């Protein structure tokens, strides 16, 4: 009997383990959708492969002909290497599995933090599910998934530091060192730190916090800021990471920089959390200043830019947990349920579920068994990316400089670099506003669009078949462009005088 109980102790899952498995599977079911809407994953893999192959960083651009030789700052170089490394072993399956594990681990930490702050397990599950539903709109196999995880760790560590006698300051700059080399949104950590700094100033003036605690909080900020300069590119990392954030022209034309559209069902959980925050005014427990700053600030940032929704969710999750807890405690049935769950889970060691899930899913993908809902596997979708057109180009390579669709640049690099370089890709912070405007002028066929192509000595194009540029050029043969390949997704055109 004791042996049976011991086996069940390790085999039966806890609620946190069920959440981990559920999120991981939810991510994998989305499969190719999470990387087929733009080619950014392709660029990250290509850059990472360059670093792994040559054991050095490309300090000057070798991926485009428009900025060839220009100074290149790779603010996501470590994430590029990680994605390239897993891709070498498991292909695109590896990249998707990595992103799924980052998402699952983040939700697992959200649940754990809500429990750690004394809330009911049912409350933690509800909030964790809400965080999942809010963040799912920006679940992509890209480096920002590291920020999703690291911002949660950073925020929860700050709360523990601020409310306890634990003073392990060293782990904050260490975390920031890793974060700054993984993804450019590391500055989100300093936004959270700022809320705690303001809270400390007010509490110090009220005689609640000591000067010593303020010095330690300042040390975290200063040392962490200094840690961001420990990277292959020094101070230029900051200019690249935040340099274009205030550029309204560029950010207003990039989908994940736009404000959320509440007619889209995927944003409704965010709307629900905003409305629920208003009910905090009715609760018995008074919201602390730092909580109010984080709640209001991240709601504002989520309303401004859709890519901030996952960050809003992980930062504010424990705050929502505390709000919901005040009402949950008024229901005796929930308190009884919590006692029973706590008693049951105190005997369970469900880590076998997490380990088994990772090993099982990895093995399934390794064997080539598709897990996505459409059963096509983790491949770039031919109705979103120029898959068939690039297949044709591999058999019929073109000479001269290319003009390509913005969203396809990373995919072209993934399939064709170094034989082919691009006009532009998703790294907008590198290409800058001037080139981006020129790109928009060409695809819109604005006045002077031909001069732009002449200036970059463009010989051929790879553009969407249903786009304005392809349709107009096919209609007006006198413009001197000849269709040399066409399918439902992509069209390849070449200057007629330069046709092979």
């Amino acid at each position: 009997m004791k042996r049976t109980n011991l086996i069940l102790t390790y085999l039966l899952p806890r609620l946190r383990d069920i959440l981990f498995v559920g999120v991981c599977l939810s991510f994998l079911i989305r499969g190719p959708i999470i990387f087929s809407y733009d080619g950014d994953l392709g660029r990250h893999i290509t850059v990472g492969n360059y670093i792994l192959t040559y054991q050095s960083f490309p300090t000057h651009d070798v991926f485009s002909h428009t900025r060839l030789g220009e100074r290149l700052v790779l603010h996501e170089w470590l994430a590029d290497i990680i994605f390239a490394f897993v891709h070498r072993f498991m292909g695109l399956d590896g990249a998707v599995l990595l992103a799924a594990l980052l998402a699952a681990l983040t939700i697992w930490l959200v649940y754990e933090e809500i429990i750690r702050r004394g809330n009911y397990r049912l409350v933690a599950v509800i909030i964790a599910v809400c965080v999942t539903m809010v963040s799912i709109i920006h679940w992509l196999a890209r480096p920002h998934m590291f920020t999703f995880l690291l911002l949660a760790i950073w925020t929860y560590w700050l709360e523990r530091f601020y409310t306890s006698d634990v003073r392990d300051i060293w782990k904050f700059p260490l975390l920031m060192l890793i974060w700054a080399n993984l993804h450019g949104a590391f500055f989100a950590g300093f936004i959270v730190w700022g809320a705690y700094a303001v809270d400390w100033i007010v509490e110090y003036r009220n005689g609640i916090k000591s000067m010593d605690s303020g010095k330690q909080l300042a040390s975290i900020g200063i040392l962490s800021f200094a840690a961001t300069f420990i990277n292959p590119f020094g101070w230029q990392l900051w200019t690249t990471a935040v340099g274009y954030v205030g550029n309204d022209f560029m950010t207003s034309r990039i989908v994940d920089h736009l404000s959320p559209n509440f007619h889209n069902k995927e944003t409704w959980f965010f709307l629900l959390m905003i409305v629920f925050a208003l009910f905090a005014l009715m609760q018995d427990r008074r919201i602390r200043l730092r909580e109010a700053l984080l709640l209001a600030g991240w709601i504002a940032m989520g309303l401004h830019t859709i890519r901030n929704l996952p960050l809003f969710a992980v930062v504010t999750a424990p705050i929502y947990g505390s709000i919901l807890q005040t009402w949950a405690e008024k229901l005796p049935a929930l308190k009884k349920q919590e006692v029973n769950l706590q008693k049951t889970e105190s005997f369970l060691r469900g880590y076998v579920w997490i380990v088994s899930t990772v090993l099982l899913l990895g093995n399934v993908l390794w064997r080539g068994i598709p897990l996505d809902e459409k059963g096509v596997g983790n491949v770039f979708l031919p109705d979103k990316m120029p898959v068939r057109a690039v297949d044709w180009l591999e058999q019929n390579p073109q000479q001269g400089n290319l003009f390509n669709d913005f969203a396809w640049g990373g995919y072209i690099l993934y399939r064709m670099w170094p034989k082919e370089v691009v006009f532009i890709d998703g790294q907008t912070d590198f290409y800058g506003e001037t080139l981006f405007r020129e790109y928009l002028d060409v695809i819109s066929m604005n006045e002077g669009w031909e001069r732009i192509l002449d200036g970059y000595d463009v010989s051929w194009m790879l553009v969407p078949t249903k786009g304005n540029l392809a349709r107009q050029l096919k209609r007006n043969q006198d413009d001197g462009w000849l269709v040399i390949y066409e399918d439902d997704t992509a069209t390849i055109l070449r200057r007629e005088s330069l046709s092979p």
Side-chain angles (χ1 to χ4, degrees):
M1 179 64 70
K2 289 184 177 180
R3 174 175 292 183
T4 301
N5 290 337
L6 181 62
I7 293 174
L8 291 177
T9 295
Y10 285 93
L11 290 183
L12 292 177
R14 298 163 296 181
L15 289 174
R16 70 197 71 178
D17 306 315
I18 296 173
L19 276 171
F20 182 94
V21 174
V23 172
C24 204
L25 287 174
S26 298
F27 201 105
L28 292 173
I29 286 173
R30 293 168 66 86
I33 296 175
I34 67 172
F35 59 81
S36 286
Y37 282 91
D38 62 51
D40 282 5
L41 174 60
R43 179 186 172 87
H44 292 301
I45 292 173
T46 301
V47 173
N49 278 329
Y50 180 104
I51 299 171
L52 290 173
T53 300
Y54 297 105
Q55 299 292 302
S56 65
F57 299 100
T59 56
H60 295 82
D61 183 47
V62 293
F63 304 106
S64 75
H65 63 83
T66 50
R67 297 293 305 276
L68 187 66
E70 294 289 329
R71 174 68 175 171
L72 183 63
V73 177
L74 301 173
H75 58 279
E76 298 165 342
W77 69 270
L78 184 54
D80 293 342
I81 290 176
I82 295 172
F83 274 107
F85 183 79
V86 297
H87 180 268
R88 288 189 173 190
F89 281 90
M90 294 183 63
L92 293 173
D93 289 331
V96 176
L97 180 60
L98 170 62
L101 293 177
L102 291 172
L105 182 56
T106 303
I107 301 302
W108 188 85
L109 287 175
V110 167
Y111 175 89
E112 286 284 283
E113 181 64 14
I114 295 172
I115 295 296
R116 191 194 68 81
R117 297 192 188 187
N119 300 311
Y120 291 169
R121 282 161 174 76
L122 179 60
V123 169
V125 169
I126 292 172
I127 300 301
V129 170
C130 286
V131 171
T132 301
M133 298 307 296
V134 170
S135 61
I136 201 170
I137 196 171
H138 208 231
W139 276 4
L140 299 168
R142 289 192 350 213
H144 73 261
M145 295 304 299
F146 288 104
T147 285
F148 186 42
L149 171 63
L150 296 179
L151 181 61
I153 296 173
W154 173 273
T155 303
Y156 305 159
W157 279 0
L158 266 179
E159 178 66 19
R160 295 182 196 183
F161 170 87
Y162 196 74
T163 57
S164 69
D165 295 328
V166 178
R167 291 294 179 259
D168 43 356
I169 294 175
W170 61 270
K171 64 184 182 182
F172 290 95
L174 178 60
L175 180 65
M176 186 56 69
L177 170 64
I178 298 170
W179 192 357
N181 286 280
L182 280 170
H183 188 237
F186 62 87
F187 60 84
F190 295 101
I191 296 175
V192 173
W193 176 88
Y196 281 85
V198 172
D199 188 272
W200 177 85
I201 291 172
V202 174
E203 292 205 340
Y204 174 73
R205 295 185 64 178
N206 292 332
I208 301 174
K209 288 290 184 179
S210 67
M211 177 59 72
D212 184 57
S213 64
K215 290 179 179 179
Q216 293 173 336
L217 184 62
S219 297
I220 289 176
I222 294 171
L223 292 174
S224 298
F225 179 70
T228 65
F229 293 89
I230 305 175
N231 67 82
F233 309 98
W235 62 269
Q236 291 180 315
L237 183 73
W238 272 93
T239 60
T240 303
V242 303
Y244 78 110
V245 172
N247 189 317
D248 293 336
F249 175 83
M250 295 183 67
T251 55
S252 65
R253 287 162 176 79
I254 301 173
V255 174
D256 57 358
H257 280 277
L258 300 178
S259 298
N261 178 5
F262 290 110
H263 294 284
N264 182 347
K265 293 181 180 180
E266 287 188 321
T267 65
W268 287 1
F269 270 87
F270 176 49
L271 181 61
L272 175 65
M273 293 185 77
I274 294 174
V275 173
F276 185 71
L278 298 176
F279 283 91
L281 300 174
M282 301 171 55
Q283 68 167 334
D284 298 332
R285 175 186 173 276
R286 183 173 177 270
I287 292 181
R288 302 178 182 92
L289 177 59
R290 62 183 179 276
E291 293 176 328
L293 289 171
L294 291 173
L295 195 59
W298 281 99
I299 285 177
M301 286 187 281
L303 288 170
H304 182 264
T305 303
I306 199 169
R307 68 186 302 165
N308 286 332
L309 294 190
L311 309 186
F312 149 81
V314 296
V315 169
T316 62
I319 303 172
Y320 280 102
S322 298
I323 295 172
L324 189 58
Q325 179 69 16
T326 58
W327 291 311
E329 289 175 350
K330 296 177 182 179
L331 301 175
L334 291 183
K335 184 175 182 180
K336 182 178 180 180
Q337 181 190 59
E338 173 62 19
V339 171
N340 292 334
L341 282 173
Q342 186 175 4
K343 183 178 179 180
T344 300
E345 291 202 340
S346 65
F347 294 101
L348 300 181
R349 302 290 184 271
Y351 293 108
V352 66
W353 272 73
I354 295 177
V355 175
S356 299
T357 297
V358 175
L359 294 177
L360 176 62
L361 292 176
N363 184 56
V364 169
L365 292 172
W366 180 270
R367 293 175 179 272
I369 301 173
L371 295 174
D372 59 289
E373 56 186 347
K374 294 184 178 181
V376 299
N378 292 310
V379 296
F380 282 99
L381 298 174
D383 61 332
K384 302 297 181 183
M385 289 286 137
V387 178
R388 294 183 294 268
V390 173
D391 289 342
W392 183 86
L393 284 169
E394 289 182 338
Q395 302 300 319
N396 303 272
Q398 299 298 303
Q399 300 298 316
N401 291 334
L402 161 71
F403 177 86
N404 61 276
D405 184 77
F406 165 79
W408 293 351
Y411 177 76
I412 295 169
L413 291 174
Y414 172 72
R415 288 286 305 275
M416 303 183 72
W417 190 86
K419 294 180 180 179
E420 192 61 62
V421 293
V422 297
F423 184 94
I424 194 171
D425 60 57
Q427 195 179 7
T428 50
D429 54 331
F430 169 69
Y431 290 102
E433 181 179 341
T434 299
L435 182 64
F436 196 57
R437 283 182 180 273
E438 292 176 326
Y439 164 78
L440 294 175
D441 284 338
V442 173
I443 62 171
S444 302
M445 300 186 75
N446 293 335
E447 183 179 355
W449 69 274
E450 291 174 301
R451 290 195 300 273
I452 294 172
L453 295 181
D454 291 339
Y456 290 106
D457 197 23
V458 169
S459 303
W460 59 289
M461 300 181 183
L462 176 55
V463 292
T465 298
K466 298 178 181 178
N468 176 67
L469 184 58
R471 286 189 285 108
Q472 292 297 328
L473 290 179
K474 284 186 291 184
R475 186 178 302 149
N476 302 319
Q477 295 295 321
D478 294 339
D479 286 334
W481 290 89
L482 178 68
V483 175
I484 58 175
Y485 174 87
E486 184 178 24
D487 59 42
D488 292 339
T489 303
T491 295
I492 303 174
L493 302 105
R494 187 171 183 86
R495 288 184 191 267
E496 194 167 8
S497 60
L498 299 176
S499 182

